[in-house]
Amino acid sequence: GENVEQHPSTLSVQEGDSAVIKCTYSDSASNYFPWYKQELGKRPQLIIDIRSNVGEKKDQRIAVTLNKTAKHFSLHITETQPEDSAVYFCAASSLYNNNDMRFGAGTRLTVKP
Amino acid sequence: EPEVTQTPSHQVTQMGQEVILRCVPISNHLYFYWYRQILGQKVEFLVSFYNNEISEKSEIFDDQFSVERPDGSNFTLKIRSTKLEDSAMYFCATASGVSYNEQFFGPGTRLTVL
């Protein structure tokens, strides 16, 4: 089955700096890669996703890149703000596996003002 | 904007008791999922459900767990005889199935087994 690895487990940056979180996956059939932001005690919220037919996607300060050959994808947050502080999870799923998602272990991002 | 809802928000139970967690999916969604998140850990896949049957289940989803859609709207997760290690946040998620895979999460039910 799919196995998703995520690094780093914690990340601390100064406000205004960039943050990068990296994930790798094992199943070459995976074709959908969402990123979720989870604040304490809340549900995971989808912030951006990428499908296997594109290599990069951007939404304002957030971007995601995908390297299918190497089976890794990354989340980039620019101009970080204190409200970006949360736990971020990457995930991978496949249409051929009923879209069952497998999550990475999470990255706790702290943005210091 | 429609949302997935879950009840109860918090359930406290004694070890060995049965619990039923309820989810109301977004109305036109066809794919349903349960996930578990032990405090401070990652979100773990439990089971997926489509066309009134289980599509896939993880190794966590043993004989103590079951799911059903009893009335065509609610989607339930039953734990027959709870154990201490079942204490976690349980999230329901649903997807339309029309296009790619985006799943919408409910607010979760915090289960505490004493």
Side-chain angles (χ1 to χ4, degrees), chain A residues 3-4 31-32 36 38 40-46 49 51-53 87 89 93-106 108, chain B residues 3-4 31 33 35 37 41-45 47-50 55-58 89 91 95 97 99-108 110:
Chain A
N3 182 46
V4 178
N31 57 5
Y32 176 67
Y36 288 86
Q38 188 179 33
L40 191 64
K42 302 263 182 85
R43 75 185 87 186
Q45 294 274 14
L46 179 71
D49 55 18
R51 282 130 194 181
S52 58
N53 57 343
V87 179
F89 291 97
S93 72
S94 168
L95 269 175
Y96 306 106
N97 193 29
N98 201 50
N99 305 333
D100 302 339
M101 274 201 301
R102 299 295 187 269
F103 283 77
R108 181 173 298 282
Chain B
E3 285 192 332
V4 178
Y31 294 83
Y33 308 85
Y35 295 88
Q37 187 177 32
Q41 297 186 25
K42 72 175 178 181
V43 178
E44 299 174 289
F45 169 76
V47 66
S48 59
F49 190 86
Y50 170 70
S55 306
E56 187 76 29
K57 56 185 180 179
S58 72
M89 183 74 97
F91 291 104
S99 61
Y100 275 86
N101 332 47
E102 182 178 350
Q103 295 184 20
F104 296 82
F105 279 74
R110 180 168 297 285

Side-chain angles (χ1 to χ4, degrees), chain A residues 77-95:
Chain A
I77 307 174
T78 58
E79 300 170 32
T80 53
Q81 300 165 1
E83 51 266 37
D84 294 330
S85 297
V87 179
Y88 290 81
F89 291 97
C90 63
S93 72
S94 168
L95 269 175

Side-chain angles (χ1 to χ4, degrees), chain B residues 39-83:
Chain B
L39 188 63
Q41 297 186 25
K42 72 175 178 181
V43 178
E44 299 174 289
F45 169 76
L46 291 178
V47 66
S48 59
F49 190 86
Y50 170 70
N51 203 25
N52 283 320
E53 60 182 23
I54 290 174
S55 306
E56 187 76 29
K57 56 185 180 179
S58 72
E59 59 277 4
I60 302 169
F61 195 88
D62 62 22
D63 292 345
Q64 293 301 310
F65 291 87
S66 63
V67 289
E68 64 176 359
R69 219 171 158 222
D71 55 9
S73 59
N74 290 291
F75 177 52
T76 63
L77 174 69
K78 182 193 290 186
I79 309 175
R80 261 180 274 282
S81 178
T82 49
K83 303 186 284 281

Side-chain angles (χ1 to χ4, degrees), chain A residues 65-83:
Chain A
T65 59
L66 170 65
N67 183 327
K68 283 186 62 181
T69 305
K71 295 201 195 73
H72 66 70
F73 56 113
S74 300
L75 177 71
H76 305 252
I77 307 174
T78 58
E79 300 170 32
T80 53
Q81 300 165 1
E83 51 266 37

Side-chain angles (χ1 to χ4, degrees), chain A residues 19-54:
Chain A
V20 180
I21 303 170
K22 298 182 178 181
C23 288
T24 61
Y25 62 99
S26 61
D27 188 353
S28 55
S30 289
N31 57 5
Y32 176 67
F33 307 93
W35 285 89
Y36 288 86
K37 176 182 180 183
Q38 188 179 33
E39 295 173 346
L40 191 64
K42 302 263 182 85
R43 75 185 87 186
Q45 294 274 14
L46 179 71
I47 55 170
I48 195 168
D49 55 18
I50 191 166
R51 282 130 194 181
S52 58
N53 57 343
V54 298

Side-chain angles (χ1 to χ4, degrees), chain B residues 18-33:
Chain B
E18 175 184 286
V19 294
I20 298 175
L21 311 183
R22 291 183 169 79
C23 168
V24 178
I26 295 172
S27 64
N28 62 341
H29 283 194
L30 302 175
Y31 294 83
F32 313 111
Y33 308 85

